[in-house]
Amino acid sequence: MKMPYLVKTPALLKYVYPGLTWHKSRTENAIYLTFDDGPIPEVTPFVLETLAQFEAKATFFCIGDNVQKHPEIFEAVKASGHAIGNHTFNHLRGWNTPDELYLENVEQCNQLVKAKLFRPPYGRAKKSQLAVLKKQYEVVMWDVLSGDFDPDLSPEKCYQNVVDKSSNGSIVVFHDSLKAWPRLEYVLPKALAFWQDKGYGFKSL
């Protein structure tokens, strides 16, 4: 069964989960692009090349297992001046994972990525897990979810999702993954061009 998702994060969630980062300053003319689930050789180099064309910085929330498999791609991300975040070692769903196992998996990832930023896979972790993680990491969520992972979403609709819902300080989620590739390949350069034309800068977290 496909997981339902919202493109625009409801304001209520910020009150339910205090102390997490949902967006940056609304007075700043900047977009904060984030990429989850990489690095992989099939997609991440395209993302790096596209960002470079627009002189854009971004944040990559990396899966430890992928970093271990593709260290050269991970080093390329760092060498390009982008920020690095922890996305667990095995892309665990916090709601379905015992706290001790979840926290161990985060630490296993951090042995490789050495990050101060963390994003829970699927945006879902228990409050008990987040309470511990907030002591070590800035836990970064988002206010715009591209839906690039959704095979039923057309590339054009994915593009409209991000440009229609983003604003000053938005944290936008994309995925440098095979599942997202058919939409990401279309959306990323087009969205960057749109935002640049609107006068936005692109910053890492």
Side-chain angles (χ1 to χ4, degrees):
M1 191 178 86
K2 197 169 86 172
M3 294 285 293
Y5 63 92
L6 296 168
V7 174
K8 187 71 176 173
T9 300
L12 176 66
L13 275 179
K14 297 166 198 170
Y15 298 101
V16 177
Y17 291 95
L20 311 187
T21 300
W22 297 92
H23 58 79
K24 301 299 276 185
S25 170
R26 292 303 194 192
T27 62
E28 186 180 28
N29 207 20
I31 299 287
Y32 291 79
L33 300 171
T34 65
F35 297 88
D36 291 5
D37 297 359
I40 59 169
E42 298 88 347
V43 182
T44 309
F46 162 82
V47 174
L48 294 177
E49 289 163 18
T50 306
L51 292 171
Q53 288 168 16
F54 290 88
E55 298 181 0
K57 293 298 179 225
T59 305
F60 288 77
F61 288 92
C62 299
I63 293 174
D65 190 42
N66 281 337
V67 172
Q68 195 168 70
K69 287 175 182 169
H70 311 294
E72 71 291 346
I73 307 292
F74 178 65
E75 290 303 321
V77 174
K78 290 199 296 181
S80 300
H82 302 294
I84 301 295
N86 183 325
H87 202 47
T88 76
F89 192 85
N90 298 110
H91 204 259
L92 296 184
R93 194 186 300 271
W95 287 1
N96 301 348
T97 308
D99 288 9
E100 186 177 356
L101 181 61
Y102 190 78
L103 295 169
E104 283 174 1
N105 204 264
V106 173
E107 178 54 32
Q108 187 182 1
C109 178
N110 220 43
Q111 293 298 318
L112 295 167
V113 301
K114 297 179 171 50
K116 294 296 182 189
L117 305 170
F118 174 76
R119 173 176 284 160
Y122 312 99
R124 293 181 175 181
K126 297 174 195 167
K127 285 194 171 185
S128 53
Q129 295 161 351
L130 292 171
V132 175
L133 291 167
K134 281 192 290 186
K135 295 173 184 174
Q136 183 178 350
Y137 300 93
E138 179 182 354
V139 180
V140 180
M141 304 300 273
W142 59 82
D143 67 331
V144 180
L145 184 62
S146 69
D148 58 356
F149 54 83
D150 182 356
D152 297 330
L153 190 69
S154 72
E156 180 59 27
K157 182 68 175 89
C158 184
Y159 167 72
Q160 293 298 335
N161 280 350
V162 295
V163 300
D164 289 351
K165 302 297 185 184
S166 55
S167 59
N168 285 3
S170 279
I171 298 174
V172 182
V173 181
F174 291 106
H175 296 78
D176 50 332
S177 67
L178 290 173
K179 187 190 286 189
W181 173 245
R183 284 151 295 281
L184 184 70
E185 181 185 25
Y186 174 85
V187 173
L188 186 59
K190 193 172 177 181
L192 282 162
F194 172 87
W195 284 318
Q196 189 177 70
D197 190 52
K198 294 289 184 186
Y200 286 107
F202 306 104
K203 295 188 175 183
S204 58
L205 292 160

